Each structure stands twice: as C-alpha cells, then as structure tokens.
C-alpha cells in the first residue's frame, strides 16, 4: 500500500500491511493509545508481576491478542447523557470504533469493514473462547469476577456493532464523536489555502451533498470560486445535536409528559443547530474576506469602476467644453451680426439723412422758384398747390421740375410747367382712386357671389323665414316645458310642415342668433311708413336742416341752371338731375359732416357700405363720396408728413 503523504497524520497504528505503516486521515483530535489499561487483563497481569507471580504462556498469548486489537481511548465530555444511559457504562461513553478495532478509521469505516471487524472481534472475545482465562484464577470469586468481565466486554462489542450498523444510530454517534470546531480568524495572504483548506475539509463531513467542492488554489478560475462559496453559503448539515441536558423519553410518566420532553429536546436541538450554522457561516465569511482571488477581483472591479467614473467625468467635461465653445461661437456670431446690423443701420440712417437733406434742399429750391409765380397769382396756383407738390414728389422729380422751371426764362412758362406738374399729380391720384374703387367693387362682387352660394345652400337646407321664426318664438312661449308632446304641438302651431328635428335644431341655432346690426338701416327703411317725411341724412339734426334750407334751394336752382347750361356746352350729366363734374366737387360743411358721420356709422366690414354712405349724404353719389374720401385721406397724409 502506497504511503499517502497528502493527509495529515492523526493516528498511527503499528500494524504492518505489506511491510509499510498505515497513515489515516481523520477530523478528530490526535489521541494517544495507552498500552496499559487501568482495568482488565493488562492491569491484572501487571499486578501479578509486581507480586512476583509467574504467568502462564496461554495468558501471555491472550494478552498479546488483546494488545493487538483492543485500544481503549479516553472518554469525551461531549457525549450525551442519553447515549451514556444506553451504553450502560454509567458516566463514561465507550468507544465503539475502538471496541471493533476500527479506531484508525472511525467515521470513514464502511459497512463491510464494520461487519468484517465485528465477526473477527466477536470470535476472538466470545466467552467460550475466553474459558482459559477462567482457569487461571484460583478462587471462585476471582473466577466469577473474570467471567462477568468477559461477558460485559462481549456485550459492549455487540452494542457497538448494533450502533454502528444502524444508519440513524451511527449518525447520532458520529455527531457526538470528537471534532475540531475551531474556526480560523486571520492568516497571511500566502498561507490562506493552508489554513482554510483543512477547515473546510473537516466541516465538509457534515454536508448532505457529497462530494464537496475543493477550495482550490490561486490559479482556480473565478467561476469555480463562486461555485465553491455558493455551495458553502447554502450549506446543509446532517449533523445531530444530542444535548447533555436532554430528557430521556423512556423515563416519561405519561403521554403529556413525553410530549413536553420532546418539545424541550427539540428546543435544545434547534438552538445547537443554529449555533452550528452560525459557526459555518463565520468560517465562510472569514474565508471570503481573506480570499486573495476575491480580493483581486474586487480590486479589478474597483479599478474598472473608477476608470468608468473618470471616463464619464472626462466625457462630461468635454461635453461642457464643447457646449461652451458653441455658446461662445454663437455669442460672437450674434455680436458680429449686431455690429453689422448697427453699421448697416448707421449707414442707412446716414443715407436717409442725406436724402432728407437733399429733399429739403429741392423743396426749398421749388419754393424759391415758385415765389414769383405765387406773388403774381399766375394760372391760379396757390401756396397749397406748391406745398402739395413738395410733399408728394420725390427728390428726382423735384429736381427735374426745378430744372425745367429754371430752363424757362419767362415767368408764365415757369407757371405752365408748375401747372402741368399739378395736373399730372392729380391724374395719378385719380388713377389710384379708380383702381381702389375697382378693387372694392370686385371684392363686393365676390361677397355677393359668396352670399348667393350661401343662399343656395340655405335654400337646400330650407332656411327659416321671419314669419316662421316669430311663430316659433310665440309657440315656445305658448307651450312651455312640461307640455305633453310639446314639439309636435309647436310644429302644428307653425303650420309650415317643419319636422320635430328641425324645430329642435332651430331652437339651438336660429333663436339664439343676435340681430344683424348692419341691416338695421335697411330694416328701418322697409318699416318706414310711405307717407312719412323723407330725411336727406339720418345723421343731420333739425337745426342743421333749418340752417341749410336756403342753401339747399339755391343748390337746387344751381343744379337746374347747370343742367340748362350743360345742354349748350355738351357737358351733360345723367338723367336723374345730378350737376356737372366741376360743380359736383363742391362740398358744403353739412355734407362733409354727414360724410364723416356716415363713415363712422358704416365701417369697412359693412356690406354695401358706399351705397349706404351715399344715401346718408344729401345730394351725393357713390363715386363722389369715394373721391371726397380719397381727397380727405390724401390731405390728412400731407399734413402729417409736413408736421
């Protein structure tokens, strides 16, 4: 048999197998085998030697056999009282493995080894085989004592076999066997595997799951290391914990007393089991804290975490720098744009000031050239005409006009040039007014077309007439809420064949509509009595009518005179008695006031605005009102520009 040097030498046997000593690994503490027993055959032989009594050869042979196979071990204080009572030795626990000659194997002994050793020991120590020892005794008392000793020893062998051959009893006995519960607390890094490896191997005997994983060495992969610690953190032990203070169930006086004993024993066992699990957990925690492989991985993870943190900080810093750079570029761009805009505005301001200066110069030049013409009142040119030209013409036109006037030597020619400029300016104003009028007429036609399309849609939807609306309103007042079949009754009351759905929809739409204020004047004209006195303007007061009665008559006579003259001069107007264009441009204060009031009363959004304005202004048509409005607006603009 080869020598196993990797196991620790716990116990040594002098028996020789194939000429080599046997080395056995055990988790128990080393125990010294005693050559001399305090009682038994060896003690008796030693006592006889001291007395000088010669021993027989048979006794010497029997003594050698006993010394070869029987080794008595010191009893342990950790054995339970219950086991002591079963062993029948009083206060001492017998060593079952030593009785069967398996002290060198102990819990490692297999069932076959136990059976074989029991057969050999039982044959050797059977009372019939020990009859020669009885003959060596001289007295009957000594023989009886020797006989009782042989029988007691044989019974102990039988009891040891019964305990070790039964799995449950052997588990309890092995749990109470000598065991090193010491937990390593600290060690050097290089001695970690030497210190903690044997500790895990010792405690691995209690594991339910076999085989247990090895602690490994410094080169073991991290996966195997994690599996090792996962196994021990979920460690399950089969170890039993019989306590010295346990109650013997056989001594129970009653059933209730027995149950109480079982509960007390269970509490003691559970407490011992928790302490053992805490001990195992402490062992695993101490190893995990000092394992160089785990420490190395933690350092690597910490370094990786620090590296990621630094990379994140660096990325954030770069991002902030990029954002600051972009913000600085944007700020510089805005500053540059503002500077360029300021320069452009300053340049434009200078150009405008220069143009204004030139414009003032040309206007002063035109006023200077027009001074002699105004002083002599040539061609009915007034100061207002010159100012109108100064305010309406731009620099280039003023320069051309002044150059044309300077090119004329005769004052009358200069006046003609000025008159031509005035007439051309008036034509331009008239063209603009005509364009605006045409545009307004086009907008009016579009609105009229839109109203036509809407009316067609309303016809399709059967619009409500005024009479139907009035009947609906009266019907709702006559038949209030709570009336039986209210809407059918109102439909019959209206009498136009309206359905209930139409009536209910009309109550939410038609009746809630506000009256159109833009058609108030038309409604007034429709409802006006035919015999009532006509009013020239709805906005004129009685005092104004009385104050202009004489001018009105003179105006009518002038109209008739002008109509008679228009026949001769072929400048006739329309057949409704309207005066000529030169006389139509004359507006009285009352007419102007009426025009202003009508424009305020009928804003831009009013349909057929100018027809209503013309109806409110006495003696004026739509075209005349539009031209007067254009002239008033132009005059207001010129005054505003002059200011």
């Amino acid at each position: 048999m080869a020598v196993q040097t990797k196991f620790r030498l716990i116990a040594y046997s002098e028996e020789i197998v194939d000429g080599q000593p046997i080395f056995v690994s055990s988790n128990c503490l080393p125990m010294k085998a005693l050559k001399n027993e305090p009682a038994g055959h060896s003690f008796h032989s030693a006592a006889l030697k001291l007395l000088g009594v010669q021993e027989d050869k048979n006794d010497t042979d029997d003594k050698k056999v006993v010394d070869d196979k029987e080794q008595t071990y010191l009893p342990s204080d950790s054995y339970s009282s219950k086991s002591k009572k079963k062993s029948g030795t009083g206060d001492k626990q017998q060593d079952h493995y030593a009785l069967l000659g398996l002290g060198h194997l102990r819990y490692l002994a297999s069932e076959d080894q136990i059976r074989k050793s029991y057969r050999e020991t039982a044959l050797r120590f059977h009372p019939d085989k020990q009859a020669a020892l009885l003959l060596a005794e001289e007295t009957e008392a000594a023989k009886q004592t020797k006989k009782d000793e042989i029988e007691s020893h044989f019974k102990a062998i039988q009891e040891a076999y019964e305990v070790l051959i039964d799995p449950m009893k052997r588990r309890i006995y092995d749990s109470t066997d000598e065991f090193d519960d010491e937990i390593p607390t600290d060690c050097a890094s290089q001695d970690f595997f030497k210190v903690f490896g044997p500790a895990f191997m010792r405690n691995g005997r209690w594991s339910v799951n076999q085989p247990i994983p090895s602690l490994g060495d410094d080169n073991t992969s991290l996966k195997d290391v994690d599996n090792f610690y996962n196994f021990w953190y979920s460690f399950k032990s089969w170890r039993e914990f019989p306590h010295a203070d346990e109650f013997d169930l056989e001594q129970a006086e009653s059933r209730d007393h027995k149950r109480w004993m079982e509960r007390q024993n269970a509490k003691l066992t559970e407490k011992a089991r928790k302490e053992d699990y805490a001990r195992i957990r402490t062992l695993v925690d101490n190893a995990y804290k000092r394992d160089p492989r785990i420490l190395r991985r933690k350092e690597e993870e910490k370094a990786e975490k620090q590296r990621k943190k630094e990379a994140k900080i660096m990325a954030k810093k770069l991002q902030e720098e990029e954002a600051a750079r972009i913000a600085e570029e944007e700020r510089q761009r805005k500053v540059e744009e503002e500077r360029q805009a300021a320069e452009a505005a300053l340049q434009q301001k200078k150009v405008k000031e220069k143009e204004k200066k030139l414009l003032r110069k040309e206007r002063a030049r035109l006023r200077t050239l027009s001074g002699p013409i105004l002083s002599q009142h040539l061609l009915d040119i007034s100061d207002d005409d010159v100012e109108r030209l100064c305010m309406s013409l731009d620099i280039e036109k003023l320069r051309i006009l002044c150059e044309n006037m300077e090119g004329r030597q005769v004052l009358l020619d200069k006046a003609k040039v000025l008159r031509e400029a005035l007439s051309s300016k008036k034509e331009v104003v008239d063209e603009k007014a005509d364009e605006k009028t045409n545009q307004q007429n086009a907008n009016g036609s579009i609105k009229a077309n839109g109203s036509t399309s809407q009316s067609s849609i309303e016809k399709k939807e059967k619009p409500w007439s005024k009479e139907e609306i009035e009947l609906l309103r009266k019907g709702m007042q006559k038949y209030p809420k709570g009336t039986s079949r209210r809407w059918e009754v109102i439909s019959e009351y209206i009498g136009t064949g309206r359905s209930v759905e139409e009536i209910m929809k009309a109550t939410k739409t038609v009746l809630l509509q506000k009256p159109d204020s833009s058609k108030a004047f038309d409604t007034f004209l429709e409802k006006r009595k035919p015999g009532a006195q006509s009013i020239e303007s709805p906005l004129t007061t009685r005092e104004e009518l009385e104050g202009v009665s004489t001018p009105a008559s003179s105006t009518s006579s002038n109209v008739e005179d002008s109509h008679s003259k228009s026949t001769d001069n072929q400048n006739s107007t329309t057949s409704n008695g309207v005066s000529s264009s030169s006389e139509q441009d004359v507006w009285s204060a009352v007419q102007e006031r009426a025009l202003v009031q009508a424009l305020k009363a009928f804003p831009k959004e009013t349909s057929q605005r100018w027809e209503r304005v013309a109806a409110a202004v006495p003696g004026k048509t739509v075209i005349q009102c539009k031209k007067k409005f254009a002239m008033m607006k132009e005059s207001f603009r010129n005054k505003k520009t002059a200011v």
Side-chain angles (χ1 to χ4, degrees):
M1 179 177 180
V3 178
Q4 303 295 329
T5 58
K6 63 180 180 180
F7 299 114
R8 291 183 61 186
L9 181 58
I10 302 301
Y12 173 75
S13 176
E14 294 182 354
E15 293 181 356
I16 301 299
V17 180
D18 297 334
Q20 294 181 1
I22 298 175
F23 291 84
V24 180
S25 174
S26 175
N27 288 331
C28 63
L29 292 173
M31 299 178 64
K32 184 179 180 181
L34 300 178
K35 297 298 182 180
N36 298 324
E37 297 180 354
H41 300 292
S42 299
F43 179 77
H44 186 68
S45 300
L48 291 176
K49 282 183 179 181
L50 292 175
L51 294 175
V53 179
Q54 295 294 330
E55 293 182 349
D56 297 335
K57 293 182 178 181
N58 295 333
D59 296 341
T60 304
D61 296 337
D62 294 337
K63 179 182 174 183
K64 290 181 180 179
V65 172
V66 173
D67 291 339
D68 291 339
K69 286 295 181 179
E70 182 180 1
Q71 294 180 354
T72 304
Y73 290 84
L74 292 177
S76 174
D77 295 337
S78 62
Y79 298 155
S80 64
S81 61
K82 190 173 181 181
S83 299
K84 291 176 183 177
K85 291 178 181 178
K86 289 184 178 181
S87 63
T89 57
D91 296 334
K92 296 182 180 180
Q93 170 76 23
Q94 68 179 10
D95 191 347
H96 298 323
Y97 290 109
L99 288 174
L100 298 180
L102 298 174
H104 58 289
L105 296 177
R106 306 197 70 80
Y107 78 96
L108 297 175
S110 63
E111 185 176 350
D112 294 337
Q113 290 175 336
I114 293 173
R115 293 180 185 277
K116 182 179 179 181
S117 179
Y118 169 70
R119 285 194 295 268
E120 294 177 356
T121 308
L123 289 173
R124 183 177 296 113
F125 294 101
H126 195 275
D128 295 339
K129 298 289 185 178
Q130 302 293 326
L133 297 177
L134 296 177
L135 298 176
E137 301 295 335
E138 297 179 354
T139 62
E140 292 295 333
K143 291 181 180 181
Q144 186 64 33
T145 302
K146 190 65 175 178
K147 182 179 180 181
D148 294 339
E149 183 181 352
I150 293 172
E151 291 178 356
S152 177
H153 184 70
F154 186 73
K155 289 180 180 179
I157 293 173
Q158 288 180 336
E159 183 180 354
Y161 175 73
E162 291 176 358
V163 172
L164 297 181
I165 204 65
D166 190 323
M168 295 301 298
K169 293 180 180 180
R170 185 182 181 187
R171 173 178 292 186
I172 295 173
Y173 179 78
D174 288 341
S175 299
T176 60
D177 200 1
E178 291 292 340
F179 180 72
D180 184 8
D181 290 338
E182 183 182 359
I183 299 298
T185 56
D186 196 4
C187 67
S189 178
Q190 61 273 13
D191 298 334
F192 173 78
F193 299 100
K194 297 179 181 179
V195 174
F196 283 91
F200 281 108
M201 291 297 295
R202 287 197 307 271
N203 290 274
R205 63 175 289 186
W206 310 118
S207 176
V208 175
N209 301 319
Q210 294 290 342
I212 62 173
S214 175
L215 181 62
D217 53 12
D218 196 33
N219 298 324
T220 305
S221 63
L222 291 175
K223 183 178 180 181
D224 295 337
V225 174
D226 292 335
N227 293 334
F228 173 80
Y229 284 106
N230 291 336
F231 173 84
W232 280 99
Y233 273 117
S234 59
F235 180 78
K236 293 182 180 180
S237 175
W238 56 263
R239 189 177 184 182
E240 299 292 339
F241 301 94
H243 201 273
D245 297 333
E246 282 186 1
F247 294 95
D248 190 358
L249 300 180
E250 296 178 357
Q251 299 178 2
E253 298 177 357
S254 62
R255 183 182 300 175
D256 294 337
H257 190 199
K258 182 178 180 180
R259 292 176 179 174
W260 179 82
M261 288 181 176
E262 290 176 350
R263 289 195 296 269
Q264 296 301 321
N265 293 342
K267 290 181 181 178
L268 295 175
T269 303
E270 185 64 24
K271 182 179 179 181
R273 183 175 286 107
K274 288 182 179 179
E275 292 176 355
D276 188 67
Y277 275 115
R279 183 183 63 83
I280 296 295
R281 184 61 178 262
T282 304
L283 171 64
V284 180
D285 290 340
N286 292 341
Y288 192 82
K289 291 178 182 178
R290 294 165 179 80
D291 195 332
R293 300 164 298 184
I294 301 297
L295 296 177
R296 187 163 54 249
R297 182 174 66 179
K298 288 183 178 180
E299 291 178 358
E300 292 176 357
E301 291 177 353
K302 185 177 180 180
E304 181 67 17
K305 187 176 180 181
Q306 184 67 21
R307 186 187 63 79
K308 290 182 179 179
K309 184 178 180 181
E310 292 177 356
K312 187 177 180 180
I313 293 174
M314 184 61 66
K316 186 177 180 181
K317 185 177 180 181
L318 293 176
Q319 187 177 2
E320 291 177 354
E321 291 178 355
E322 183 67 17
R325 184 185 63 79
I326 294 174
E328 181 65 21
E329 292 179 356
E330 185 68 18
R331 187 185 64 79
Q332 292 179 359
R333 185 181 62 80
K334 288 183 179 180
V335 169
E336 184 66 20
E337 290 179 356
E338 291 176 357
R339 185 184 64 78
Q340 293 178 0
E343 292 179 356
L346 182 61
Q347 189 68 21
Q348 189 176 4
K349 184 178 180 181
K350 290 180 180 180
V351 172
K352 287 183 179 180
E353 289 179 355
K354 186 176 180 180
E355 291 178 355
K356 288 181 180 180
K357 187 175 181 180
L358 294 175
L359 184 61
R360 288 195 296 270
K361 183 178 180 181
E362 295 298 331
R363 287 175 180 174
R365 182 181 176 187
L366 179 60
R367 293 188 185 100
T368 303
L369 294 174
S370 303
I373 299 173
L374 297 175
S375 61
Q376 296 183 12
H377 302 286
L378 298 176
L379 301 178
D380 296 335
I381 298 174
S382 61
D383 293 337
D384 294 337
D385 297 334
V386 176
E387 291 298 327
R388 191 179 297 112
L389 286 175
C390 291
M391 296 302 173
S392 60
L393 298 180
D394 55 5
I395 299 174
E396 190 65 26
K397 291 182 179 180
L398 286 174
R399 185 184 296 110
I400 294 172
L401 179 59
C402 292
E403 290 177 355
N404 291 334
M405 292 179 68
E406 288 177 352
R408 304 290 192 278
Q409 298 297 330
V410 181
L411 191 60
L412 184 59
D413 294 339
K414 293 181 179 181
K416 289 181 179 180
V417 172
L418 192 60
R419 171 55 66 183
E420 290 177 358
L422 288 171
S423 60
S424 61
K425 180 66 176 64
K426 187 176 181 181
E427 290 177 359
V428 172
V429 172
D430 293 340
E431 288 178 359
K432 290 183 179 180
D434 293 338
E435 290 178 359
K436 190 172 182 180
T437 303
N438 295 332
Q439 185 177 1
Q440 290 179 354
N441 292 334
N443 294 335
S445 63
I446 292 173
K447 290 181 179 179
N449 294 332
S451 62
T452 304
S453 61
Q454 289 180 358
S455 64
S456 63
I457 295 172
E458 290 176 356
K459 285 181 181 180
K460 292 180 181 179
E461 295 180 355
K462 294 183 180 180
W464 287 72
S465 63
K466 295 181 180 180
E467 292 79 5
E468 288 178 335
I469 295 173
E470 291 296 331
L471 290 174
L472 176 60
R473 187 176 287 107
K474 291 179 180 180
M476 293 186 66
Q477 293 176 357
K478 187 175 181 180
Y479 304 103
K481 294 180 179 180
T483 305
S484 178
R485 300 177 67 252
R486 182 190 183 195
W487 301 112
E488 289 80 356
V489 174
I490 293 175
S491 178
E492 294 177 358
Y493 177 77
I494 295 173
T496 57
R498 293 285 182 178
S499 62
V500 176
E501 290 77 9
E502 291 178 341
I503 294 174
M504 294 178 68
K505 184 178 180 180
T507 55
K508 298 179 182 179
T509 56
V510 178
L511 293 182
L512 298 179
Q513 289 180 355
K514 295 182 179 180
D516 191 2
S517 60
S518 61
K519 298 182 180 180
F521 184 71
D522 297 339
T523 306
F524 168 74
L525 294 178
E526 292 177 359
K527 293 183 178 180
R528 186 176 60 176
K529 295 181 180 180
Q533 183 180 0
S534 61
I535 301 176
E536 295 285 341
S537 173
L539 302 176
T540 56
T541 60
R542 182 174 297 175
E543 290 78 5
E544 291 174 349
L545 291 174
E546 291 176 355
V548 298
S549 59
T550 304
S553 61
S554 62
T555 304
S556 62
S557 62
N558 291 334
V559 171
E560 292 176 357
D561 295 337
S562 62
H563 180 68
S564 61
K565 290 180 182 179
S566 62
T567 307
D568 300 331
N569 298 330
Q570 294 181 358
N571 292 326
S572 61
T573 58
T574 58
S575 61
N576 56 0
V578 182
S579 59
S580 62
S581 61
S582 61
E583 293 177 353
Q584 288 173 359
D585 293 338
V586 179
W587 284 69
S588 63
V590 176
Q591 291 174 337
E592 290 181 357
R593 194 179 301 111
L595 177 61
V596 173
Q597 295 294 335
L599 290 173
K600 291 180 179 180
F602 305 109
K604 292 181 180 181
E605 295 79 9
T606 306
S607 62
Q608 298 182 356
R609 181 192 184 194
W610 290 106
E611 287 78 1
R612 296 182 180 185
V613 171
V617 179
K620 295 297 180 181
T621 61
V622 175
I623 298 176
Q624 291 174 344
C625 292
K626 289 182 179 180
K627 289 184 178 181
K628 183 62 178 176
F629 174 70
M631 292 175 64
M632 292 171 65
K633 186 166 64 173
E634 186 68 23
S635 176
F636 176 75
R637 288 179 179 175
N638 293 336
K639 290 180 181 180
K640 186 176 181 181
T641 307
V643 174

